[in-house]
Amino acid sequence: MELTSFFLPDLLLFITPLWIAVLVGVLVGWVWRPTWARDDKLFTLFNNNNNNNLKLPATTEPSQVYKEKSGFVTNDDFRHLWNLVEVKDGGPTWIQMMDRNTPTFSYQAWRRDPQDGPPQYRSRTVFEDATPEMVRDFFWDDDFRSKWDDMLLFSSVVESCKETGTMVVQWVRKFPFFCSDREYIIGRRIWDAGRVFYCVTKGVQYPSVPRQSKPRRVDLYYSSWCIRAVESKRGNGEMTSCEVLLFHHEDMGIPWEIAKLGVRQGMWGAVKKIEPGLRAYQSAKAEGTAGLSQSASLAQINTKVSVEEFMNERDSTGEVGGDEKASSGKNIPKILVVGGAIALACTLDKGLLTKAVIFGVARRFARMGKRM
């Protein structure tokens, strides 16, 4: 349920004209920049970002990538996910985006915008007639994923631990023709709190898989979920439904403000394709036609954890959640961003919608500048 990347085709088809417009806008703003703006630091800032977005850059700090190190996925990651599930992470308020239902599943989604960093998404999906174990294996099974997720071009388990079930996987995901494909090096691990599964997947550093110019590697990636049984909406009191709480954010190299527009447009169309994949997986398992892949077998090796003991440990240490923080790029003159947007809106497109979007993005950057 990689929220942003899963509906990327719809997202990028929607934002293609805006993407091109922003590229041209940056170039126009740069050519028309005043003399005081022509310094090496500013040039380096835009050059390092390939002149392809207007987001305020953030450095990669340990709090952003959750201590990516040789352990890959640690108990600190479980604590972070638990805080997200219990809404005790200290982050911004979640804003609801969607609430949809079908006879066999329901879906709700929220978004929040950290002060720095890409938008974060939270969703709650409830599948009728599904066990937590089945849903856990479904999302972990990369071999079967290729049958329902047409964006997954390649997947491979590059390292695994048979004691904890921790693994490092390599993904290559398909992007539309005007963007290069994306590569992900992902650490995974599952904690079992009495059939409540805390599943962590996040981007990790793995030098043994060299970075290539193409596909472009996504470093900032977090997609984790809590899977547990809930009561069926049939109202019979039986715990035959499965709830999935997903927390996702990543930086794919797409301007964050523009990406949010595409998310709002393409979210439901993408999400409703997941359930047919789950039902096909259930049928294949019942018929015995779905073998146990390496990734699915590792999904069944979990770290047992007592939430009660964890709560006592948390209280005794006084642990509290906090926002993810990253140093922000404060050196972009907002007049350059706003000026480029004005020039772009007035000269390249006469459509009111596009102008409104461009000016909206510019206003947001101006407000961010005032807070700094």
Side-chain angles (χ1 to χ4, degrees):
M1 290 183 67
E2 292 70 29
L3 185 65
T4 310
S5 57
F6 186 74
F7 51 67
L8 190 62
D10 292 335
L11 185 158
L12 289 179
L13 286 175
F14 174 76
I15 68 170
T16 298
L18 297 178
W19 177 266
I20 296 172
V22 169
L23 287 174
V24 177
V26 171
L27 292 176
V28 170
W30 184 252
V31 170
W32 291 352
R33 71 192 188 284
T35 303
W36 55 263
R38 304 184 184 193
D39 59 69
D40 293 338
K41 291 183 179 179
L42 188 59
F43 177 78
T44 302
L45 173 65
F46 277 90
N47 186 56
N48 289 342
N49 285 277
N50 298 320
N51 289 343
N52 66 351
N53 59 63
L54 290 175
K55 68 179 186 296
L56 294 177
T59 58
T60 302
E61 294 186 351
S63 60
Q64 274 186 284
V65 292
Y66 310 114
K67 299 180 181 178
E68 295 169 357
K69 52 187 179 181
S70 58
F72 298 122
V73 188
T74 69
N75 286 330
D76 287 343
D77 296 296
F78 163 71
R79 294 185 180 94
H80 179 72
L81 177 56
W82 186 89
N83 282 326
L84 286 171
V85 171
E86 300 298 324
V87 197
K88 295 182 178 180
D89 66 305
T93 302
W94 293 100
I95 302 172
Q96 187 163 20
M97 299 173 58
M98 183 172 294
D99 188 349
R100 297 289 185 94
N101 291 273
T102 75
T104 53
F105 89 111
S106 61
Y107 180 79
Q108 296 171 296
W110 296 261
R111 190 199 77 238
R112 69 182 183 183
D113 298 305
Q115 184 175 359
D116 302 297
Q120 299 177 359
Y121 296 93
R122 172 180 182 263
S123 68
R124 178 181 184 267
T125 308
V126 178
F127 299 102
E128 290 290 315
D129 302 313
T131 66
E133 291 80 5
M134 181 67 71
V135 175
R136 173 200 64 190
D137 293 354
F138 168 67
F139 285 121
W140 230 244
D141 194 333
D142 289 341
D143 288 3
F144 194 86
R145 175 181 285 272
S146 61
K147 299 179 180 180
W148 62 271
D149 183 354
D150 57 8
M151 288 185 63
L152 184 63
L153 295 178
F154 173 82
S155 66
S156 174
V157 178
V158 296
E159 184 175 334
S160 62
C161 174
K162 293 184 178 180
E163 294 182 0
T164 65
T166 303
M167 59 177 154
V168 176
V169 301
Q170 180 186 20
W171 277 8
V172 177
R173 295 185 68 79
K174 180 182 179 181
F175 273 51
F177 68 92
F178 47 83
C179 290
S180 64
D181 297 333
R182 297 298 194 263
E183 177 195 39
Y184 299 77
I185 305 297
I186 300 170
R188 291 173 166 178
R189 186 175 175 184
I190 300 176
W191 283 261
D192 178 1
R195 296 189 71 221
V196 178
F197 299 106
Y198 293 86
C199 310
V200 174
T201 74
K202 65 172 190 175
V204 297
Q205 301 298 320
Y206 198 82
S208 298
V209 180
R211 186 183 300 268
Q212 307 290 333
S213 58
K214 290 186 179 181
R216 176 176 176 178
R217 183 170 295 180
V218 175
D219 291 309
L220 178 55
Y221 175 84
Y222 184 85
S223 191
S224 301
W225 52 94
C226 175
I227 302 173
R228 57 193 175 193
V230 294
E231 183 178 346
S232 171
K233 67 179 181 180
R234 298 187 184 98
N236 54 16
E238 297 184 2
M239 304 288 283
T240 55
S241 295
C242 181
E243 176 191 67
V244 180
L245 297 176
L246 168 72
F247 300 88
H248 180 94
H249 65 268
E250 64 179 293
D251 187 353
M252 298 178 293
I254 296 175
W256 302 333
E257 289 295 333
I258 295 178
K260 287 194 295 189
L261 296 175
V263 168
R264 187 174 294 276
Q265 293 293 320
M267 178 178 287
W268 176 242
V271 168
K272 66 183 180 182
K273 297 176 183 178
I274 298 176
E275 193 204 11
L278 172 61
R279 303 308 177 188
Y281 192 69
Q282 288 177 309
S283 298
K285 287 293 187 181
E287 297 168 0
T289 58
L292 192 62
S293 68
Q294 182 182 7
S295 54
S297 64
L298 288 166
Q300 300 177 11
I301 304 174
N302 309 147
T303 301
K304 303 294 183 180
V305 62
S306 167
V307 173
E308 181 177 353
E309 292 179 2
F310 165 70
M311 290 280 291
N312 292 335
E313 175 189 351
R314 180 176 180 274
D315 292 339
S316 65
T317 59
E319 177 185 336
V320 294
D323 291 310
E324 295 176 13
K325 296 179 184 285
S327 63
S328 60
K330 300 180 181 180
N331 295 325
I332 302 179
K334 61 184 178 181
I335 189 172
L336 181 61
V337 176
V338 176
I342 293 173
L344 172 64
C346 294
T347 62
L348 298 180
D349 197 318
K350 297 181 179 179
L352 293 178
L353 175 60
T354 303
K355 288 182 179 180
V357 171
I358 293 172
F359 281 115
V361 173
R363 284 197 300 270
R364 180 172 178 80
F365 283 137
R367 289 196 297 271
M368 291 175 67
K370 290 179 180 179
R371 291 199 298 268
M372 295 173 185

PDB file of all heavy atoms in Angstrom, residues 1 31 35 45 50 62 83 144 161 166 187 190 195 208 221 244 246 260 262 267 271 275 304 308 310 329 350 359:
ATOM      1  N   MET A   1       0.827  -1.193   0.000  1.00  0.00           N
ATOM      2  CA  MET A   1       0.000   0.000   0.000  1.00  0.00           C
ATOM      3  C   MET A   1       0.869   1.253   0.000  1.00  0.00           C
ATOM      4  O   MET A   1       0.693   2.154   0.785  1.00  0.00           O
ATOM      5  CB  MET A   1      -0.940   0.018   1.199  1.00  0.00           C
ATOM      6  CG  MET A   1      -2.038  -1.018   1.137  1.00  0.00           C
ATOM      7  SD  MET A   1      -3.143  -0.898   2.521  1.00  0.00           S
ATOM      8  CE  MET A   1      -3.914   0.670   2.203  1.00  0.00           C
ATOM      9  N   VAL A  31      16.680  33.428 -15.439  1.00  0.00           N
ATOM     10  CA  VAL A  31      17.214  34.352 -16.452  1.00  0.00           C
ATOM     11  C   VAL A  31      16.955  35.792 -16.049  1.00  0.00           C
ATOM     12  O   VAL A  31      17.796  36.672 -16.242  1.00  0.00           O
ATOM     13  CB  VAL A  31      16.573  34.055 -17.831  1.00  0.00           C
ATOM     14  CG1 VAL A  31      16.933  35.143 -18.832  1.00  0.00           C
ATOM     15  CG2 VAL A  31      17.039  32.695 -18.340  1.00  0.00           C
ATOM     16  N   THR A  35      20.884  41.127 -10.091  1.00  0.00           N
ATOM     17  CA  THR A  35      22.310  40.888  -9.884  1.00  0.00           C
ATOM     18  C   THR A  35      22.608  40.335  -8.503  1.00  0.00           C
ATOM     19  O   THR A  35      23.435  39.444  -8.339  1.00  0.00           O
ATOM     20  CB  THR A  35      23.091  42.206 -10.085  1.00  0.00           C
ATOM     21  OG1 THR A  35      22.802  42.713 -11.393  1.00  0.00           O
ATOM     22  CG2 THR A  35      24.593  41.961  -9.939  1.00  0.00           C
ATOM     23  N   LEU A  45      22.583  25.576  -5.104  1.00  0.00           N
ATOM     24  CA  LEU A  45      21.329  25.056  -4.588  1.00  0.00           C
ATOM     25  C   LEU A  45      20.450  24.540  -5.696  1.00  0.00           C
ATOM     26  O   LEU A  45      19.942  23.428  -5.643  1.00  0.00           O
ATOM     27  CB  LEU A  45      20.610  26.169  -3.798  1.00  0.00           C
ATOM     28  CG  LEU A  45      19.191  25.853  -3.312  1.00  0.00           C
ATOM     29  CD1 LEU A  45      19.246  24.718  -2.300  1.00  0.00           C
ATOM     30  CD2 LEU A  45      18.555  27.082  -2.701  1.00  0.00           C
ATOM     31  N   ASN A  50      18.949  19.729  -9.722  1.00  0.00           N
ATOM     32  CA  ASN A  50      18.714  19.515 -11.147  1.00  0.00           C
ATOM     33  C   ASN A  50      17.706  20.483 -11.747  1.00  0.00           C
ATOM     34  O   ASN A  50      17.093  20.212 -12.777  1.00  0.00           O
ATOM     35  CB  ASN A  50      18.244  18.083 -11.408  1.00  0.00           C
ATOM     36  CG  ASN A  50      19.291  17.071 -10.985  1.00  0.00           C
ATOM     37  OD1 ASN A  50      20.482  17.292 -11.205  1.00  0.00           O
ATOM     38  ND2 ASN A  50      18.854  15.981 -10.374  1.00  0.00           N
ATOM     39  N   PRO A  62      19.526  12.011  10.873  1.00  0.00           N
ATOM     40  CA  PRO A  62      19.114  10.738  11.462  1.00  0.00           C
ATOM     41  C   PRO A  62      17.632  10.681  11.794  1.00  0.00           C
ATOM     42  O   PRO A  62      17.009   9.644  11.658  1.00  0.00           O
ATOM     43  CB  PRO A  62      19.978  10.646  12.735  1.00  0.00           C
ATOM     44  CG  PRO A  62      21.199  11.447  12.404  1.00  0.00           C
ATOM     45  CD  PRO A  62      20.707  12.584  11.530  1.00  0.00           C
ATOM     46  N   ASN A  83       3.876   4.913  18.078  1.00  0.00           N
ATOM     47  CA  ASN A  83       3.465   6.290  18.377  1.00  0.00           C
ATOM     48  C   ASN A  83       2.576   6.860  17.280  1.00  0.00           C
ATOM     49  O   ASN A  83       1.629   7.601  17.553  1.00  0.00           O
ATOM     50  CB  ASN A  83       4.703   7.171  18.559  1.00  0.00           C
ATOM     51  CG  ASN A  83       5.363   6.994  19.915  1.00  0.00           C
ATOM     52  OD1 ASN A  83       4.691   6.768  20.911  1.00  0.00           O
ATOM     53  ND2 ASN A  83       6.687   7.072  19.954  1.00  0.00           N
ATOM     54  N   PHE A 144       3.959 -12.187  -5.723  1.00  0.00           N
ATOM     55  CA  PHE A 144       2.559 -12.032  -6.108  1.00  0.00           C
ATOM     56  C   PHE A 144       2.221 -10.566  -6.394  1.00  0.00           C
ATOM     57  O   PHE A 144       1.329 -10.277  -7.189  1.00  0.00           O
ATOM     58  CB  PHE A 144       1.636 -12.576  -5.011  1.00  0.00           C
ATOM     59  CG  PHE A 144       0.215 -12.763  -5.450  1.00  0.00           C
ATOM     60  CD1 PHE A 144      -0.173 -13.940  -6.066  1.00  0.00           C
ATOM     61  CD2 PHE A 144      -0.741 -11.766  -5.269  1.00  0.00           C
ATOM     62  CE1 PHE A 144      -1.477 -14.122  -6.501  1.00  0.00           C
ATOM     63  CE2 PHE A 144      -2.044 -11.933  -5.692  1.00  0.00           C
ATOM     64  CZ  PHE A 144      -2.404 -13.123  -6.319  1.00  0.00           C
ATOM     65  N   CYS A 161      17.367 -12.124   7.432  1.00  0.00           N
ATOM     66  CA  CYS A 161      17.715 -12.730   8.713  1.00  0.00           C
ATOM     67  C   CYS A 161      16.605 -13.688   9.102  1.00  0.00           C
ATOM     68  O   CYS A 161      15.455 -13.267   9.294  1.00  0.00           O
ATOM     69  CB  CYS A 161      17.902 -11.650   9.787  1.00  0.00           C
ATOM     70  SG  CYS A 161      18.180 -12.317  11.447  1.00  0.00           S
ATOM     71  N   THR A 166      13.934  -9.880   9.447  1.00  0.00           N
ATOM     72  CA  THR A 166      14.379  -8.637   8.815  1.00  0.00           C
ATOM     73  C   THR A 166      14.951  -8.934   7.434  1.00  0.00           C
ATOM     74  O   THR A 166      15.663  -9.918   7.246  1.00  0.00           O
ATOM     75  CB  THR A 166      15.459  -7.955   9.671  1.00  0.00           C
ATOM     76  OG1 THR A 166      14.935  -7.712  10.982  1.00  0.00           O
ATOM     77  CG2 THR A 166      15.895  -6.632   9.050  1.00  0.00           C
ATOM     78  N   GLY A 187      14.394  -1.596   3.858  1.00  0.00           N
ATOM     79  CA  GLY A 187      14.515  -2.492   5.008  1.00  0.00           C
ATOM     80  C   GLY A 187      13.129  -2.826   5.530  1.00  0.00           C
ATOM     81  O   GLY A 187      12.255  -1.957   5.594  1.00  0.00           O
ATOM     82  N   ILE A 190       8.803  -7.087  10.906  1.00  0.00           N
ATOM     83  CA  ILE A 190       7.448  -7.146  11.471  1.00  0.00           C
ATOM     84  C   ILE A 190       7.520  -7.500  12.947  1.00  0.00           C
ATOM     85  O   ILE A 190       8.247  -8.415  13.343  1.00  0.00           O
ATOM     86  CB  ILE A 190       6.578  -8.186  10.729  1.00  0.00           C
ATOM     87  CG1 ILE A 190       6.449  -7.825   9.244  1.00  0.00           C
ATOM     88  CG2 ILE A 190       5.191  -8.278  11.378  1.00  0.00           C
ATOM     89  CD1 ILE A 190       5.689  -8.857   8.429  1.00  0.00           C
ATOM     90  N   ARG A 195      -1.194 -10.971  17.401  1.00  0.00           N
ATOM     91  CA  ARG A 195      -1.940 -10.880  16.136  1.00  0.00           C
ATOM     92  C   ARG A 195      -2.251  -9.432  15.748  1.00  0.00           C
ATOM     93  O   ARG A 195      -3.093  -9.187  14.890  1.00  0.00           O
ATOM     94  CB  ARG A 195      -3.233 -11.705  16.164  1.00  0.00           C
ATOM     95  CG  ARG A 195      -3.022 -13.201  16.313  1.00  0.00           C
ATOM     96  CD  ARG A 195      -4.324 -13.951  16.102  1.00  0.00           C
ATOM     97  NE  ARG A 195      -4.727 -13.916  14.703  1.00  0.00           N
ATOM     98  CZ  ARG A 195      -5.981 -13.740  14.301  1.00  0.00           C
ATOM     99  NH1 ARG A 195      -6.950 -13.495  15.187  1.00  0.00           N
ATOM    100  NH2 ARG A 195      -6.279 -13.748  13.021  1.00  0.00           N
ATOM    101  N   SER A 208      26.367  -2.137  -0.719  1.00  0.00           N
ATOM    102  CA  SER A 208      26.634  -3.297  -1.576  1.00  0.00           C
ATOM    103  C   SER A 208      25.846  -3.255  -2.879  1.00  0.00           C
ATOM    104  O   SER A 208      26.175  -3.964  -3.829  1.00  0.00           O
ATOM    105  CB  SER A 208      26.311  -4.588  -0.819  1.00  0.00           C
ATOM    106  OG  SER A 208      27.143  -4.721   0.323  1.00  0.00           O
ATOM    107  N   TYR A 221      12.190   7.381   2.162  1.00  0.00           N
ATOM    108  CA  TYR A 221      11.023   6.524   1.918  1.00  0.00           C
ATOM    109  C   TYR A 221      10.589   5.901   3.242  1.00  0.00           C
ATOM    110  O   TYR A 221      11.397   5.344   3.976  1.00  0.00           O
ATOM    111  CB  TYR A 221      11.386   5.426   0.921  1.00  0.00           C
ATOM    112  CG  TYR A 221      10.289   4.403   0.677  1.00  0.00           C
ATOM    113  CD1 TYR A 221       9.272   4.650  -0.247  1.00  0.00           C
ATOM    114  CD2 TYR A 221      10.276   3.193   1.361  1.00  0.00           C
ATOM    115  CE1 TYR A 221       8.270   3.711  -0.459  1.00  0.00           C
ATOM    116  CE2 TYR A 221       9.276   2.254   1.149  1.00  0.00           C
ATOM    117  CZ  TYR A 221       8.280   2.524   0.238  1.00  0.00           C
ATOM    118  OH  TYR A 221       7.286   1.600   0.021  1.00  0.00           O
ATOM    119  N   VAL A 244      -6.216  -2.044   8.303  1.00  0.00           N
ATOM    120  CA  VAL A 244      -4.841  -1.695   7.965  1.00  0.00           C
ATOM    121  C   VAL A 244      -4.678  -0.188   8.136  1.00  0.00           C
ATOM    122  O   VAL A 244      -5.334   0.594   7.445  1.00  0.00           O
ATOM    123  CB  VAL A 244      -4.491  -2.099   6.518  1.00  0.00           C
ATOM    124  CG1 VAL A 244      -3.046  -1.712   6.202  1.00  0.00           C
ATOM    125  CG2 VAL A 244      -4.702  -3.588   6.292  1.00  0.00           C
ATOM    126  N   LEU A 246      -2.106   2.629   7.544  1.00  0.00           N
ATOM    127  CA  LEU A 246      -0.884   2.875   6.780  1.00  0.00           C
ATOM    128  C   LEU A 246      -0.369   4.281   7.025  1.00  0.00           C
ATOM    129  O   LEU A 246      -1.140   5.249   7.067  1.00  0.00           O
ATOM    130  CB  LEU A 246      -1.156   2.704   5.281  1.00  0.00           C
ATOM    131  CG  LEU A 246      -0.060   3.189   4.316  1.00  0.00           C
ATOM    132  CD1 LEU A 246       1.141   2.251   4.368  1.00  0.00           C
ATOM    133  CD2 LEU A 246      -0.590   3.304   2.893  1.00  0.00           C
ATOM    134  N   LYS A 260       0.673  16.941  -4.321  1.00  0.00           N
ATOM    135  CA  LYS A 260      -0.557  16.869  -3.525  1.00  0.00           C
ATOM    136  C   LYS A 260      -1.804  17.010  -4.392  1.00  0.00           C
ATOM    137  O   LYS A 260      -2.834  16.401  -4.109  1.00  0.00           O
ATOM    138  CB  LYS A 260      -0.534  17.944  -2.430  1.00  0.00           C
ATOM    139  CG  LYS A 260       0.439  17.628  -1.307  1.00  0.00           C
ATOM    140  CD  LYS A 260       0.207  18.504  -0.087  1.00  0.00           C
ATOM    141  CE  LYS A 260       0.474  19.957  -0.341  1.00  0.00           C
ATOM    142  NZ  LYS A 260       0.441  20.759   0.900  1.00  0.00           N
ATOM    143  N   GLY A 262      -2.093  15.942  -7.477  1.00  0.00           N
ATOM    144  CA  GLY A 262      -2.288  14.653  -8.129  1.00  0.00           C
ATOM    145  C   GLY A 262      -2.804  13.591  -7.187  1.00  0.00           C
ATOM    146  O   GLY A 262      -3.606  12.740  -7.568  1.00  0.00           O
ATOM    147  N   MET A 267      -6.190   9.339  -5.916  1.00  0.00           N
ATOM    148  CA  MET A 267      -6.125   8.435  -4.778  1.00  0.00           C
ATOM    149  C   MET A 267      -7.138   7.297  -4.855  1.00  0.00           C
ATOM    150  O   MET A 267      -6.781   6.118  -4.789  1.00  0.00           O
ATOM    151  CB  MET A 267      -6.331   9.218  -3.477  1.00  0.00           C
ATOM    152  CG  MET A 267      -6.334   8.337  -2.232  1.00  0.00           C
ATOM    153  SD  MET A 267      -6.521   9.297  -0.727  1.00  0.00           S
ATOM    154  CE  MET A 267      -4.910  10.062  -0.600  1.00  0.00           C
ATOM    155  N   VAL A 271      -6.522   3.194  -5.042  1.00  0.00           N
ATOM    156  CA  VAL A 271      -6.770   2.377  -3.859  1.00  0.00           C
ATOM    157  C   VAL A 271      -7.762   1.254  -4.149  1.00  0.00           C
ATOM    158  O   VAL A 271      -7.585   0.122  -3.674  1.00  0.00           O
ATOM    159  CB  VAL A 271      -7.279   3.269  -2.712  1.00  0.00           C
ATOM    160  CG1 VAL A 271      -7.814   2.426  -1.563  1.00  0.00           C
ATOM    161  CG2 VAL A 271      -6.158   4.175  -2.221  1.00  0.00           C
ATOM    162  N   GLU A 275      -7.997  -4.096  -3.522  1.00  0.00           N
ATOM    163  CA  GLU A 275      -8.840  -5.190  -3.017  1.00  0.00           C
ATOM    164  C   GLU A 275      -8.926  -6.373  -3.983  1.00  0.00           C
ATOM    165  O   GLU A 275      -8.810  -7.527  -3.542  1.00  0.00           O
ATOM    166  CB  GLU A 275     -10.237  -4.684  -2.668  1.00  0.00           C
ATOM    167  CG  GLU A 275     -10.986  -5.724  -1.851  1.00  0.00           C
ATOM    168  CD  GLU A 275     -12.495  -5.606  -1.952  1.00  0.00           C
ATOM    169  OE1 GLU A 275     -12.989  -4.851  -2.800  1.00  0.00           O
ATOM    170  OE2 GLU A 275     -13.164  -6.301  -1.186  1.00  0.00           O
ATOM    171  N   LYS A 304       8.218 -11.047  18.572  1.00  0.00           N
ATOM    172  CA  LYS A 304       7.122 -10.993  19.534  1.00  0.00           C
ATOM    173  C   LYS A 304       7.336  -9.818  20.483  1.00  0.00           C
ATOM    174  O   LYS A 304       8.450  -9.563  20.953  1.00  0.00           O
ATOM    175  CB  LYS A 304       7.040 -12.293  20.333  1.00  0.00           C
ATOM    176  CG  LYS A 304       6.872 -13.549  19.481  1.00  0.00           C
ATOM    177  CD  LYS A 304       5.531 -13.561  18.775  1.00  0.00           C
ATOM    178  CE  LYS A 304       5.358 -14.868  17.995  1.00  0.00           C
ATOM    179  NZ  LYS A 304       4.048 -14.917  17.285  1.00  0.00           N
ATOM    180  N   GLU A 308       1.931  -4.152  26.572  1.00  0.00           N
ATOM    181  CA  GLU A 308       1.870  -3.727  27.971  1.00  0.00           C
ATOM    182  C   GLU A 308       3.277  -3.482  28.515  1.00  0.00           C
ATOM    183  O   GLU A 308       3.534  -2.463  29.170  1.00  0.00           O
ATOM    184  CB  GLU A 308       1.165  -4.787  28.810  1.00  0.00           C
ATOM    185  CG  GLU A 308       1.034  -4.406  30.284  1.00  0.00           C
ATOM    186  CD  GLU A 308       0.275  -5.446  31.083  1.00  0.00           C
ATOM    187  OE1 GLU A 308      -0.267  -6.386  30.471  1.00  0.00           O
ATOM    188  OE2 GLU A 308       0.236  -5.314  32.331  1.00  0.00           O
ATOM    189  N   PHE A 310       5.894  -2.850  26.709  1.00  0.00           N
ATOM    190  CA  PHE A 310       6.429  -1.694  25.981  1.00  0.00           C
ATOM    191  C   PHE A 310       5.918  -0.393  26.592  1.00  0.00           C
ATOM    192  O   PHE A 310       6.672   0.568  26.762  1.00  0.00           O
ATOM    193  CB  PHE A 310       6.030  -1.770  24.509  1.00  0.00           C
ATOM    194  CG  PHE A 310       6.217  -0.484  23.764  1.00  0.00           C
ATOM    195  CD1 PHE A 310       7.482   0.006  23.475  1.00  0.00           C
ATOM    196  CD2 PHE A 310       5.114   0.260  23.363  1.00  0.00           C
ATOM    197  CE1 PHE A 310       7.653   1.201  22.802  1.00  0.00           C
ATOM    198  CE2 PHE A 310       5.268   1.456  22.695  1.00  0.00           C
ATOM    199  CZ  PHE A 310       6.549   1.926  22.409  1.00  0.00           C
ATOM    200  N   GLY A 329      16.172  24.734   3.711  1.00  0.00           N
ATOM    201  CA  GLY A 329      16.923  25.648   2.852  1.00  0.00           C
ATOM    202  C   GLY A 329      16.319  27.031   2.931  1.00  0.00           C
ATOM    203  O   GLY A 329      15.288  27.309   2.348  1.00  0.00           O
ATOM    204  N   LYS A 350      -2.968  30.976 -20.200  1.00  0.00           N
ATOM    205  CA  LYS A 350      -4.069  31.891 -19.921  1.00  0.00           C
ATOM    206  C   LYS A 350      -5.176  31.209 -19.136  1.00  0.00           C
ATOM    207  O   LYS A 350      -6.203  31.794 -18.865  1.00  0.00           O
ATOM    208  CB  LYS A 350      -4.637  32.450 -21.226  1.00  0.00           C
ATOM    209  CG  LYS A 350      -3.614  33.276 -22.006  1.00  0.00           C
ATOM    210  CD  LYS A 350      -4.205  33.843 -23.272  1.00  0.00           C
ATOM    211  CE  LYS A 350      -3.204  34.686 -24.049  1.00  0.00           C
ATOM    212  NZ  LYS A 350      -3.745  35.227 -25.307  1.00  0.00           N
ATOM    213  N   PHE A 359       0.052  30.485  -8.538  1.00  0.00           N
ATOM    214  CA  PHE A 359       0.059  31.512  -7.510  1.00  0.00           C
ATOM    215  C   PHE A 359      -0.109  30.908  -6.123  1.00  0.00           C
ATOM    216  O   PHE A 359       0.456  31.401  -5.152  1.00  0.00           O
ATOM    217  CB  PHE A 359      -1.049  32.543  -7.762  1.00  0.00           C
ATOM    218  CG  PHE A 359      -0.692  33.550  -8.826  1.00  0.00           C
ATOM    219  CD1 PHE A 359      -1.400  33.612 -10.017  1.00  0.00           C
ATOM    220  CD2 PHE A 359       0.369  34.421  -8.643  1.00  0.00           C
ATOM    221  CE1 PHE A 359      -1.073  34.520 -11.002  1.00  0.00           C
ATOM    222  CE2 PHE A 359       0.701  35.348  -9.626  1.00  0.00           C
ATOM    223  CZ  PHE A 359      -0.015  35.394 -10.807  1.00  0.00           C
TER     224      PHE A 359
END
